[in-house]
Amino acid sequence: MCGIVGIASENDCVKGIIAGLYSLEYRGYDSSGIATLNDNLFASKKSIGKISRLENAIIKDKISGNLGIGHTRWATHGKPTLNNCHPFIKNNCALVHNGIIENFEELVKTFALNETCIKSETDSEIIAEICDKLLNEFNNPIDVIKKISQNIQGTFSFAFLIKGSDSIYATRRGSPLVLGLSENLNSISSDVLGLPDETREIIFLEENDIATINPSSISIYNIKGNSINRKKHEFVAKKDFKTKGKFMHFMEKEIFHQPICLEDIILNFADKKTNSVFLPKNTIDFNNISNIILVACGTAYHACMIAKYWLEQMTDKHVSIDIASEYRYKKNNIDKNSIAIVVSQSGETMDTLECLKKFRQNDLFTISIVNVLNSSIARMSDYVLPTLAGPEIGVAATKSFTAQLAVLALLGLHIQQQKNNIEKNVFNSLFSIHESIKKILKDSKRFEEIAHSLRDAKSIFYIGRGIMYPIALEGALKLKEITYKHCEGYAAGELKHGPLALIEDQIPVIALAPSDHNFSKILSNIQEVRARGGKSIIITDKAGSIKAKKYCDQIIVLPDTNYLTSAIIYSLPIQLIAYHLAVLLGTDVDQPRNLAKSVTVE
Ligand code: AGP
């Protein structure tokens, strides 16, 4: 998704902007650009494809300046072409934009723009045109930005350079912007990761705030143009998350980070000595609530699917789940005795955010389970449960997924605790999850072998029953996302209702089969596959492997699990298989084509 970096420095800002754009690569993009203001002249470079191409273009033909703005573009209006690349420069104004201007065509009329000046297919160029026009009418850039903001329908974050001024100007609505403060430079970005390393403190801009950023100071104004103060937060060093270290890809690093993350989450929220779960600052009495509504997108939605199995098994609550992009546009009969939970790694996913707004309009108490604290979703919800996974750079969600599961499991145990019926054995099992995962990771070569056997498959099936069904869906999503191979996730019992017709020896079926109450059923499903010439790979535990051996071509034996730990532990094989197959096929593991890390548009 699009990213913004702006730097106002006592020294040249170009290197810092390029570094910031590299840090935003993980969000997904298809082109990039930069503009500087030097001696009251704009200089600009744009490029299609990777940031390294933009960097090379700047090395060949240097641009410099103390004030600069940069952008990574993820095409929404118009193809990824140089013409559509930001920044857009119009006489006295240069701008970069994130978000979608819904009324951009009407704005041409409202501001009586000369249409022949519009060269791109974007919704953003028009705002640069308007800005330049208004700069001739108003003395103050703040008044120009106020006027623009008042006329826009849609979502935006903008950074502007304006001739005759030594500041970057920025504003936002529905799309995040964060200011970075340090001694010799100040900066702005759409994401904390885009800020320079020397940043000491950060300020999150609120809806409609307008900021001016120059090398030695920043100021913030509200939509009326009155000066306002916003809270400063300490900037946590991000250096460690920006490097791959000994790993080939961020995704690999993030998969291997899971034992640490999970131990951290469990130890932060649960105390083994007293058998209790502590949800920070929680004042919710779940005994007074009968319904839980969960919404999310993609991988986070799969976490919600698992939570439904868990919460209905662990509590007496009625649990409903929805895909956020569906929930937001349908009629929902909401029982007032409900609590709403939204789950999101980025905390910026537009559809999830819109559901959150809908819940709030219906006066529901809202909980967000997010990885990015201070994200829009976190800030809008009544109560935030952080997933503590640390920044996730790879587009494919890995550690954020297992972290979401851990938090949702703890939530289930917390609800039990409020009824004094916490399942002690299950609770205790959480404390050894990280050890089980370490064992799986130690032996990660096995998954490379599986990946080799899948290399030429026409298509792949993941099947599972119960909690393993959403894991099958997540396994299929991971494979599609980073290997570009077709894969389906199926509830194993559904095979005979259609997809069995597809089974042949070029379509392997991977069964996720811990030896739980569903084991004998899934074993029958595997036999149905084999009877039709299909190849089967079974992922199970020791007890399961004894029974399953004769029914499979390959077998992976995992540590023993229970209904709460199985979802987390069986997530590892699906991540590792996808990762190794992607490496084998030579795809762009961390930034798969057409995808973005943070989906801030519909
Ligand atoms: C999965 O690997 C994804 N990249 C994607 O499905 C993601 O989970 C989804 O876009 C939701 O994102 P969020 O958790 O940041 O809201």
Side-chain angles (χ1 to χ4, degrees), residues 179-305:
L179 295 175
L181 315 181
S182 62
E183 248 167 54
N184 301 321
L185 64 81
N186 291 310
S187 56
I188 183 114
S189 180
S190 44
D191 185 321
V192 178
L193 285 180
L195 297 172
D197 284 339
E198 47 268 67
T199 304
R200 295 277 165 270
E201 289 175 312
I202 54 175
I203 296 175
F204 292 95
L205 291 185
E206 299 284 332
E207 293 286 84
N208 299 312
D209 282 357
I210 302 171
T212 62
I213 304 121
N214 65 44
S216 54
S217 65
I218 59 111
S219 311
I220 307 175
Y221 305 89
N222 63 16
I223 190 83
K224 291 185 186 143
N226 301 327
S227 174
I228 44 170
N229 286 321
R230 295 278 177 226
K231 199 174 164 200
K232 291 181 183 162
H233 302 263
E234 194 192 337
F235 181 66
V236 180
K238 52 179 174 139
K239 282 191 211 108
D240 288 356
F241 292 103
K242 280 166 69 185
T243 56
K244 291 179 202 148
K246 60 178 183 178
F247 297 98
M248 254 167 65
H249 299 98
F250 281 109
M251 182 180 178
E252 187 189 18
K253 184 182 174 192
E254 286 153 8
I255 291 174
F256 276 78
H257 191 205
Q258 288 174 107
I260 298 171
C261 294
L262 289 163
E263 191 178 15
D264 192 33
I265 296 163
I266 308 295
L267 294 180
N268 260 288
F269 296 146
D271 181 16
K272 202 172 182 182
K273 267 195 207 135
T274 54
N275 275 317
S276 46
V277 178
F278 296 107
L279 300 186
K281 296 182 197 155
N282 174 41
T283 50
I284 313 160
D285 184 356
F286 283 92
N287 289 329
N288 291 331
I289 285 151
S290 44
N291 304 299
I292 299 176
I293 309 167
L294 289 140
V295 299
C297 300
T299 292
Y301 174 69
H302 295 151
C304 294
M305 286 180 81

Side-chain angles (χ1 to χ4, degrees), residues 297-300 343-347 349 395-397 404 477-478 481 597 599:
C297 300
T299 292
V343 183
S344 172
Q345 186 287 129
S346 62
T349 302
V395 165
Q404 285 161 355
L477 175 63
K478 277 304 78 97
E481 193 175 21
K597 181 70 181 165
V599 185

Side-chain angles (χ1 to χ4, degrees), residues 44-55:
S44 172
K45 281 274 174 295
K46 299 179 181 190
S47 174
I48 309 298
K50 297 280 170 189
I51 307 289
S52 52
R53 291 181 67 179
L54 179 71
E55 190 179 21

Side-chain angles (χ1 to χ4, degrees), residues 500-541:
L500 215 46
L502 291 173
I503 297 302
E504 47 151 291
D505 65 347
Q506 288 302 302
I507 303 188
V509 178
I510 308 174
L512 299 161
S515 55
D516 58 13
H517 64 288
N518 279 314
F519 185 72
S520 59
K521 302 275 175 215
I522 197 161
L523 218 51
S524 308
N525 299 130
I526 295 162
Q527 289 174 59
E528 288 160 11
V529 166
R530 289 171 64 83
R532 281 141 188 100
K535 291 216 167 67
S536 61
I537 299 167
I538 300 186
I539 303 179
T540 182
D541 47 35

